[in-house]
Amino acid sequence: MAKLTHGLNIGLERHGETIFLSLKIIGTLSHEDYTRIIPIIESAICNLKHPQVNVLIDADELTGLELRAAWDDLKIGLKHNNDFGKIAIYGHKKLQAIMVKMTSWFISGEAKYFEDKTAALNWLFD
């Protein structure tokens, strides 16, 4: 069986006004990935007065980010900056640490980088 070079797994749980979004990214994050992610986020928060979106991004197998995907990330951050509470990015590469810094510029919530997935989950649910 060949090694998977690109993949995106999206999970969503809603508890009242709080939404937990989990993303597992394998390979390069693309604009096409955002065409899947954005409608899920917008559908989940569309009828909520004060949504609180907490996100776990498992980027341990992330290898890159398309420029257009970075633009998509910026747009969703600007449009819904007050809707994001906590964003935990899990991985083992410098790219993920840079993503946290970029993310924190465009959301009102907190963004943190973790090398341990359990610590990331504990922080999200603390």
Side-chain angles (χ1 to χ4, degrees):
M1 184 154 119
K3 184 178 178 182
L4 186 62
T5 58
H6 182 265
L8 176 66
N9 186 1
I10 305 168
L12 183 90
E13 292 180 33
R14 183 173 158 191
H15 304 278
E17 297 272 311
T18 303
I19 295 164
F20 175 68
L21 175 68
S22 63
L23 302 170
K24 167 73 176 166
I25 306 162
I26 299 170
T28 300
L29 186 61
S30 69
H31 169 70
E32 184 178 312
D33 294 331
Y34 274 92
T35 64
R36 293 183 179 111
I37 297 167
I38 292 170
I40 290 170
I41 294 171
E42 292 186 340
S43 175
I45 66 176
C46 71
N47 293 320
L48 302 178
K49 291 182 183 179
H50 303 288
Q52 179 76 23
V53 182
N54 295 321
V55 184
L56 173 67
I57 301 172
D58 182 340
D60 194 42
E61 296 180 62
L62 176 71
T63 58
L65 179 70
E66 288 181 358
L67 184 57
R68 192 161 176 199
W71 176 247
D72 292 329
D73 193 56
L74 171 66
K75 289 190 307 186
I76 193 79
L78 291 173
K79 183 175 180 180
H80 296 288
N81 70 2
N82 292 323
D83 299 330
F84 288 99
K86 291 181 175 181
I87 298 176
I89 299 177
Y90 158 71
H92 292 97
K93 298 178 183 118
K94 192 173 186 173
L95 175 62
Q96 288 90 342
I98 292 168
M99 286 175 65
V100 167
K101 287 181 184 178
M102 288 177 26
T103 299
S104 65
W105 296 338
F106 304 106
I107 65 162
S108 62
E110 295 179 78
K112 281 186 150 184
Y113 169 71
F114 296 87
E115 290 188 1
D116 179 73
K117 192 172 185 176
T118 301
L121 286 166
N122 288 338
W123 177 73
L124 281 174
F125 292 105
D126 184 25

